[in-house]
Amino acid sequence: MAIELLKGNEAIAEAAVRAGVDAYFGYPITPQTELLEYMAKRMPELGRVFLQAESELGAINMVYGAACAGKRAMTSSSSPGVSLMQEGLSYIAAAEVPVVLVDVMRGGPGLGNIAPSQSDYFQMVKSAGHGDFKPIVLAPASVQEAVDIMDLAFDLADKYRTIVTVLLDGTIGQMMEPAELPPMKPRRTAAPGWALTGAADRSKNMILPFRLQVDDLEAYNLQLQQKLALIAHSEVRYHEQMVDDAELIVVGFGTAGRIAQTAVRLARRQGIKAGLFRPITLWPFPERRLSQLADDARGFLVVEMNAGQMVEDVRLAVGGQAPVKFLGRMGGSLPMPDDILAAIVKLDQASTRAQPDAPCTIEGPSMPLKHFVSVN
Amino acid sequence: MTIESYSEAIVADRPKALSKTQSHYCPGCLHGLAHRLIAEVLDELAIRGTTLMVAPVGCAVFASNYFECDSVVAPHGRAPAVATGLKRVSPDKIVFAYQGDGDLASIGTAEIIHAAARGESITVIFINNAVYGMTGGQMAPTSLVGMKTTSSPFGRDVKTMGSPLKMSELIAGIDGATFVSRRSMHNPAEIRKAKKAIRRAFEVQINHQGFSLVELLSNCPTNWQMTPLESLRWIETRMVPVFPLGDLKNAAANNGLKGV
């Protein structure tokens, strides 16, 4: 395979094809539409299923049906569309069928805009639908990582019979970057035993997203939580740079994490011992590793393209051992390396281990205050 | 004295596609009869082992318990979308959705209209009893004008609540729909016609002829607050004039094989 210049959305689609996706159902919404358009051409070429649904409600329920048949099924959308899919996601979680969802996030709330954002963190990580369930959430920071993650997404979905969300912002979806695609995997031919394939010579299979008896539903929930605990134990993934001797840890996922990487390098040039921590699994969240880092770090700076969502999980993981500050941009704006650097410098000056709760107001010098979010 | 010899023949038996279990449906409810008609057709067409059912949210949410075929329960109204997903990846299987009037005619209008518009190779059995049964007798889109329900306690007023939605007429007007029929289950003659329509609907799918739907006028003695017999008379005298029986569309044309 060769390195090619690939657009994020199209690269993700082709990576899904090569991971063996049998069926794609979707609905147009910016900034993920190229993914749907790519599938519209590519899937029929290969004799696989592509269907443009009447809505995101339709799309997620078609995915539900195809997954019940034991096929690798996926959909993709962007923030407002994913809001509509939440009903289906909850049923799919209850039915425990494997599904992959790609959410190319845009600005919200409401119709918001079509610019990149990370404001679906809560929606996907904390509340992907009613009831006690959590999808695995994978957050790539480049086109190459997005490509690599698609194969993992389908494998994890199958392994745990769960929803896997690939959560990225419009920047990665729209950006062209050099990336290498994996070879084409053979499609799975045998259906799993639980799948709906017809009860010709076996007893019937029933996929039921309900347990009406109180005891049954509690027992089922306990079983589901056991599965989630196993995932939380086994599937944490993150990327870190220069954390070994770091006094200050900058935390960001996806695009924000990638921009923060530049800021960390700039800080190092100024003699500040900064390091980068970039969660790849947003659920399960790498809380144990962050807690370890908090043993030695003087402070944390969380950078996000939202009003402060993942920062809550960082605070829980750090557990008050060190101050956790936040820098965020919204509405499609990106945090710039210089602004992150300024926040690192302020944190460096303000935070000592002796005074973990010392007040620290972060303000970006090159940024008008009205565009700037400062929590604490 | 001569004793005539005769051989015993079974003239009525439980269809193989119908599970041997106790039903949860209320006494006098016609869901059980509708189930039986479908099960008889699955047996007669020898498709039980290749049939996948999509059950709805509503009284028939437990339908999985009553059919000896694979099944899944869809979110409220979304059965045609789930059935679409199943059928597109399993074109060699027979897929049918079973939906009530709240499910199909209210919350799921988009899903049923677009499944029909695509000429999706699925069969839909639509139970219309003019009321939300499972939640305790609220007004449905198919409730009759003046009909008193728990959410239209003074009767359905056209000025504020509109008129009954005639889904079969609506769907028959869609090019992708091949066979659309409305039948009733209020007497033996109509029951026989209903079964014939169900059989035709499945044959359309077996022959890759596109989308098929059978609406069955049904009852709800519990929420209508009638005896079963009164409820059958009510279907005949009140519902049938509003929802005329017959084949609304019976196109011979093949809409083409859907799915890959």
Side-chain angles (χ1 to χ4, degrees), chain B residues 25-193:
Chain B
Y25 294 117
C26 300
C29 171
L30 290 173
H31 265 304
L33 179 59
H35 284 17
R36 185 185 172 97
L37 297 180
I38 295 167
E40 285 180 0
V41 168
L42 296 183
D43 279 8
E44 287 168 18
L45 297 174
I47 52 173
R48 182 201 61 80
T50 52
T51 293
L52 316 177
M53 177 180 64
V54 182
V57 169
C59 289
V61 71
F62 301 111
S64 300
N65 293 338
Y66 309 136
F67 287 96
E68 285 303 297
C69 56
D70 284 3
S71 62
V72 55
V73 173
H76 196 22
R78 321 289 177 227
V82 175
T84 296
L86 270 171
K87 183 72 183 190
R88 291 285 178 131
V89 299
S90 335
D92 57 329
K93 300 293 187 297
I94 300 300
V95 179
F96 82 95
Y98 188 100
Q99 299 186 264
D101 46 74
D103 202 66
L104 182 142
S106 188
I107 197 167
T109 43
E111 285 76 14
I112 190 68
I113 294 288
H114 286 277
R118 290 189 300 266
E120 211 63 63
S121 186
I122 60 170
T123 300
V124 178
I125 307 298
F126 168 34
I127 306 295
N128 177 6
N129 65 358
V131 80
Y132 282 77
M134 184 64 121
T135 46
Q138 293 76 33
M139 188 182 75
T142 51
S143 294
L144 304 188
V145 172
M147 188 173 167
K148 285 183 181 173
T149 70
T150 59
S151 60
S152 59
F154 310 109
R156 182 173 188 166
D157 181 353
V158 174
K159 277 182 283 189
T160 56
M161 304 167 203
S163 307
L165 191 53
K166 295 170 187 174
M167 287 305 292
S168 290
E169 281 82 349
L170 199 60
I171 292 163
I174 296 171
D175 289 347
T178 300
F179 178 67
V180 182
S181 182
R182 183 187 287 119
R183 296 293 165 184
S184 180
M185 299 187 286
H186 66 266
N187 67 34
E190 295 303 333
I191 290 166
R192 290 174 75 89
K193 289 181 196 164

Side-chain angles (χ1 to χ4, degrees), chain A residues 182-202:
Chain A
M184 184 76 82
K185 253 191 180 176
R187 284 162 79 192
R188 187 174 58 198
T189 47
W194 50 262
L196 307 187
T197 54
D201 41 20
R202 57 159 168 77

Side-chain angles (χ1 to χ4, degrees), chain A residues 66-359:
Chain A
C68 285
K71 298 294 183 182
R72 282 195 153 178
M74 73 172 287
T75 184
S76 61
S77 190
S78 180
S79 314
V82 175
S83 297
L84 273 174
M85 289 183 178
Q86 288 206 321
E87 175 196 60
L89 290 175
S90 182
Y91 277 72
I92 289 165
E96 294 190 272
V97 293
V99 160
V100 172
L101 160 68
V102 177
D103 178 2
V104 187
M105 293 179 281
R106 59 187 259 179
L111 191 58
N113 64 16
I114 59 169
S117 167
Q118 294 183 325
S119 54
D120 291 4
Y121 182 94
F122 283 158
Q123 168 157 320
M124 285 325 314
V125 176
K126 301 293 180 186
S127 183
H130 61 281
D132 285 306
F133 75 97
K134 287 177 177 186
I136 294 174
V137 183
L138 302 170
S142 67
V143 173
Q144 182 66 66
E145 198 172 44
V147 164
D148 297 341
I149 265 177
M150 289 313 292
D151 190 49
L152 175 68
F154 282 103
D155 284 349
L156 289 176
D158 280 344
K159 183 177 177 184
Y160 295 104
R161 287 175 60 180
T162 190
I163 302 160
V164 177
T165 304
V166 178
L167 190 68
L168 57 145
D169 66 89
T171 317
I172 298 167
Q174 295 293 321
M175 183 166 57
M176 288 188 87
E177 282 198 282
E180 188 177 8
L181 288 161
M184 184 76 82
K185 253 191 180 176
R187 284 162 79 192
R188 187 174 58 198
T189 47
W194 50 262
L196 307 187
T197 54
D201 41 20
R202 57 159 168 77
S203 57
K204 62 184 176 181
N205 282 344
M206 296 184 283
I207 297 180
L208 307 175
F210 67 93
R211 308 284 187 282
L212 224 63
Q213 299 304 316
V214 171
D215 291 346
D216 289 348
L217 187 58
E218 186 169 45
Y220 166 77
N221 266 286
L222 287 168
Q223 193 187 314
L224 186 61
Q225 291 306 313
Q226 271 178 6
K227 180 172 88 173
L228 295 179
L230 177 65
I231 296 171
H233 177 76
S234 318
E235 303 298 346
V236 172
R237 285 169 172 81
Y238 55 84
H239 169 82
E240 51 187 29
Q241 266 185 315
M242 296 176 274
V243 295
D244 289 345
D245 63 339
E247 295 173 359
L248 306 177
I249 307 286
V250 182
V251 188
F253 70 94
T255 297
R258 192 162 164 190
I259 299 168
Q261 185 177 318
T262 305
V264 166
R265 285 197 197 120
L266 295 172
R268 282 274 171 175
R269 273 188 218 156
Q270 292 189 12
I272 299 171
K273 287 187 174 174
L276 175 77
F277 186 83
R278 180 168 64 80
I280 293 171
T281 49
L282 300 181
W283 194 84
F285 194 68
E287 55 194 16
R288 259 183 302 173
R289 179 59 183 152
L290 270 171
S291 176
Q292 280 171 4
L293 293 173
D295 289 342
D296 300 316
R298 277 197 290 126
F300 287 79
L301 174 68
V302 180
V303 184
E304 297 181 74
M305 289 148 62
N306 58 41
Q309 300 193 11
M310 181 182 69
V311 66
E312 293 187 1
D313 285 329
V314 175
R315 287 212 171 94
L316 281 169
V318 169
Q321 296 181 79
V324 177
K325 304 299 175 187
F326 176 72
L327 169 64
R329 296 296 304 271
M330 291 181 285
S333 302
L334 300 176
M336 289 294 122
D338 285 350
D339 304 325
I340 301 171
L341 176 65
I344 294 171
V345 170
K346 274 213 162 174
L347 181 64
D348 183 45
Q349 290 160 357
S351 61
T352 63
R353 289 293 289 183
Q355 294 170 291
D357 295 315

